[in-house]
Amino acid sequence: MADQDVEKDLLKIASAFYTQLAEGEIPSFTLPLRTRDNIVYDEKERVWVYGEKEGLRSAKTVKGAFQILKTAYLIEFLKKQLDEGRSSTLRELYYISENWGDAKFNVQSESDLLIEDLEIVSQNQRECFHIRPEEDGASVFGPLKVKEQTRKGEKVIHCQDDVGDAGYLIPNNIDKVEFLEHDAKMILAVETGGMRDRLIENGFDEEFDAIIIHLKGQPARSTRRLLKRLNLEMSLPVFVFTDCDPWSYRIFASVAYGSIKSAHLSKFMATPDAVFMGIMPSDIVKYDLPTDKLTDKDKDALHSELKDPRFNSEFWKKEIKLQLELGKKSEQQSLAKYGLDFVTKVYLPERLDELG
Amino acid sequence: MADQDVEKDLLKIASAFYTQLAEGEIPSFTLPLRTRDNIVYDEKERVWVYGEKEGLRSAKTVKGAFQILKTAYLIEFLKKQLDEGRSSTLRELYYISENWGDAKFNVQSESDLLIEDLEIVSQNQRECFHIRPEEDGASVFGPLKVKEQTRKGEKVIHCQDDVGDAGYLIPNNIDKVEFLEHDAKMILAVETGGMRDRLIENGFDEEFDAIIIHLKGQPARSTRRLLKRLNLEMSLPVFVFTDCDPWSYRIFASVAYGSIKSAHLSKFMATPDAVFMGIMPSDIVKYDLPTDKLTDKDKDALHSELKDPRFNSEFWKKEIKLQLELGKKSEQQSLAKYGLDFVTKVYLPERLDELG
């Protein structure tokens, strides 16, 4: 979305305060409740979003009045930042408020939350406010040509031919990147860096026309947004290749269905078509993989996933129950038991065949 | 070093076992003790290295015999890997040993340690064995042209003109990268991603002819090696820009002086000329920076640094004592109190002036 449109959305919030004051009303605004029981499944978008329960933020109380004051200051700052084409990190924003007098944030979690509130009310992502995360973007390797709007104008980069073996590093705001063309049949999102490097060394990207994306564990917002956009704009299927443990299943779920903490962003970031291609508990048996014992924490997480609506399918129930029975977990790299080529010559081709 | 030379160094170790056996001796080899009291300062290289205390690893005991067996298997594997131009991660190596019968590693820490032993005995870095880490390489942004030996031949990349705003991502083996030419006056190694992005947005690299490198907290081996090589091969001064807390001082020390755990690599990885340009306790006073209280852990770490020979200088003693007095720590991004340009318009230029 253009900066001016984002600015308009933000100013609408501030101008509502102004109207309320002019009409002798106490300034306030409403927000959806951000709790587990206010998460509903959006059939159309096939992601989890906030439901209709709302809370009121009003200047009636002292705390509420401070909140409205901070909101006004924050909108003013964001407006200025957009006007000047600047950007700042969540951490910088917290320090910038040092000079806002009574509107100063006491801890960073306060400013982080208020930015999320503005995302919800204005229906924009914080990236549109030019608010950057600390976290790094993911790297991309494969037959994809992109155009990035950089500090110094547009740059066209081919993510195989114009980069080193470590790939193209996406900027913290992926929406500055346009996808020009590709020669790919699939996206493979990979949990660990070791496996990413393995696939590139083995030439998986070329043999299977794959764009390989490194998730780096629980993926950053920009990584999830990247996957969503590649899936949507390039009509490419997304496969998620992870370890075999409950935390990896959560990685998959956050890619495919979105998370409770940022359910307001599910429609920007979740890729409901994403397919799980991680190591499965049944693979531990099938391939006799090296394993570690499940810890108590692992077991608790698996039990909690059995109750999680996002894992409410025959496939997940069967696999999770099998894993609890086995009492074992396994890693992507355990496939190296059968040599360095096993993953690209045998495992992934077999999985792709099964999944069609 | 060429792969054949590395292979020779490794085979020398195995052939010593063979000679020992042929002569009716029990196979063994010696290793420096890797303890704090066997660390000495190398005046010539100006880094901390292992001293002369040695331990014997001999097949006399069952445990020792297994170690020698594992060493022999490992050397065979590395030889094959070098012959085939392949590489593998530390994690994969552990899994590969699944098929080595009695020589199988029981936990990954065992294979990690044995690789370190081979580094010490053969006087090579594990990167020369084509053993990769899981960790990511750092990103580079600035007026530097590099040539990377990629999977598909040589690629020349300019780290300002040929990359997006996130920069050039160095491969896990930095020694595959050659520095062709540069137009820089300095290297600035930056602790946090938020600050790295700030410097790039503000155009610090252009205004100060700086190559900006993201340390990502405690820097990976490849990042330290990169700094060392840029300092040595390009004769560029290295400045380290960190937060103001004991952990950041350790980041600086590992860049400048090396670490105890990898003292055998100090001469490859430490940059004794590196200059600390992080936020100083005296800056907290001078600029009235926003702070957090020191935790007990912070205080312990500061006290331990007062006893650390690497911090045995007037500068460090004065600053660390001041910090303990203040009871406070501060972050790079706290400079944002004075606006987004303060760091590049005021703070860093003042520091560079002071340091000449």
Side-chain angles (χ1 to χ4, degrees), chain B residues 9-20 71-72 75-76:
Chain B
D9 287 343
L10 286 171
L11 290 181
K12 235 185 275 171
I13 303 168
S15 107
F17 297 155
Y18 189 82
T19 314
Q20 287 166 331
T71 309
I75 290 171
E76 188 191 10

Side-chain angles (χ1 to χ4, degrees), chain A residues 5 37 64 117 241:
Chain A
D5 295 329
D37 49 298
D117 288 348
F241 183 25

Side-chain angles (χ1 to χ4, degrees), chain B residues 86-323:
Chain B
R86 303 297 298 271
S87 66
S88 49
T89 66
L90 288 165
R91 191 83 189 136
E92 283 176 327
L93 174 62
Y94 160 65
Y95 285 122
I96 282 164
S97 80
E98 282 276 328
N99 299 308
W100 293 358
D102 285 341
K104 173 182 181 305
F105 297 112
N106 300 305
V107 286
Q108 194 192 331
S109 55
E110 223 185 293
S111 45
D112 287 358
L113 266 174
L114 193 52
I115 284 286
E116 285 181 16
D117 288 348
L118 286 185
E119 285 185 306
I120 297 172
V121 180
S122 78
Q123 302 216 25
N124 283 290
Q125 307 164 68
R126 69 159 185 248
E127 285 79 2
C128 301
F129 309 151
H130 296 190
I131 290 289
R132 294 186 267 115
E134 294 294 313
E135 66 210 356
D136 263 21
S139 65
V140 179
F141 197 97
L144 172 72
K145 194 187 267 185
V146 301
K147 181 163 79 182
E148 179 181 330
Q149 191 62 46
T150 73
R151 187 183 70 171
K152 299 180 70 180
E154 289 176 351
K155 259 171 214 168
V156 173
I157 296 171
H158 189 282
C159 302
Q160 235 166 12
D161 301 340
D162 301 336
V163 297
D165 279 348
Y168 165 64
L169 195 56
I170 63 169
N172 46 48
N173 182 0
I174 181 64
D175 286 309
K176 292 200 299 189
V177 177
E178 194 183 322
F179 307 130
L180 296 182
E181 55 184 62
H182 73 82
D183 197 22
K185 294 205 184 97
M186 60 181 282
I187 312 282
L188 189 63
V190 185
E191 178 174 352
T192 66
M195 182 51 80
R196 189 203 86 102
D197 289 346
R198 161 69 39 231
L199 297 179
I200 290 173
E201 180 178 310
N202 290 8
F204 183 84
D205 52 312
E206 294 193 319
E207 198 170 339
F208 289 83
D209 302 317
I211 298 170
I212 296 172
I213 292 176
H214 182 196
L215 291 174
K216 294 192 190 175
Q218 189 67 42
R221 285 166 63 127
S222 59
T223 311
R224 284 180 282 151
R225 176 82 182 130
L226 169 74
L227 291 170
K228 165 87 175 179
R229 285 191 49 207
L230 281 169
N231 176 248
L232 211 69
E233 297 171 27
M234 305 274 106
S235 304
L236 285 168
V238 171
F239 297 94
V240 182
F241 183 26
T242 65
D243 289 341
C244 179
D245 63 48
W247 320 103
S248 298
Y249 309 154
R250 285 194 189 168
I251 288 174
F252 168 70
S254 84
V255 168
Y257 312 115
S259 63
I260 292 168
K261 195 179 162 290
S262 56
H264 60 292
L265 299 165
S266 291
K267 65 172 174 163
F268 296 116
M269 291 190 191
T271 309
D273 285 325
V275 176
F276 182 74
M277 208 163 67
I279 309 284
M280 302 180 291
S282 50
D283 288 334
I284 294 181
V285 183
K286 182 174 174 190
Y287 298 104
D288 187 23
L289 294 178
T291 55
D292 286 310
K293 264 194 194 164
L294 289 178
T295 64
D296 288 342
K297 264 186 142 178
D298 291 334
K299 287 181 200 163
D300 290 347
L302 285 171
H303 282 295
S304 136
E305 281 166 6
L306 280 176
K307 286 175 222 143
D308 189 323
R310 300 178 300 173
F311 291 100
N312 187 10
S313 76
E314 277 315 300
F315 168 78
W316 281 113
K317 283 195 187 307
K318 201 180 112 234
E319 290 291 344
I320 292 174
K321 278 177 190 163
L322 174 62
Q323 183 152 33

Side-chain angles (χ1 to χ4, degrees), chain A residues 139-183:
Chain A
S139 64
V140 179
F141 197 98
L144 172 71
K145 193 187 270 183
V146 301
K147 182 163 78 182
E148 180 181 330
Q149 191 63 45
T150 74
R151 187 184 70 168
K152 299 181 68 179
E154 288 175 352
K155 259 171 213 165
V156 173
I157 296 170
H158 188 282
C159 302
Q160 235 166 12
D161 300 340
D162 301 335
V163 297
D165 279 348
Y168 165 65
L169 194 56
I170 63 169
N172 46 49
N173 182 359
I174 181 64
D175 287 310
K176 292 200 297 191
V177 177
E178 195 182 320
F179 307 130
L180 295 182
E181 54 183 63
H182 72 83
D183 197 22

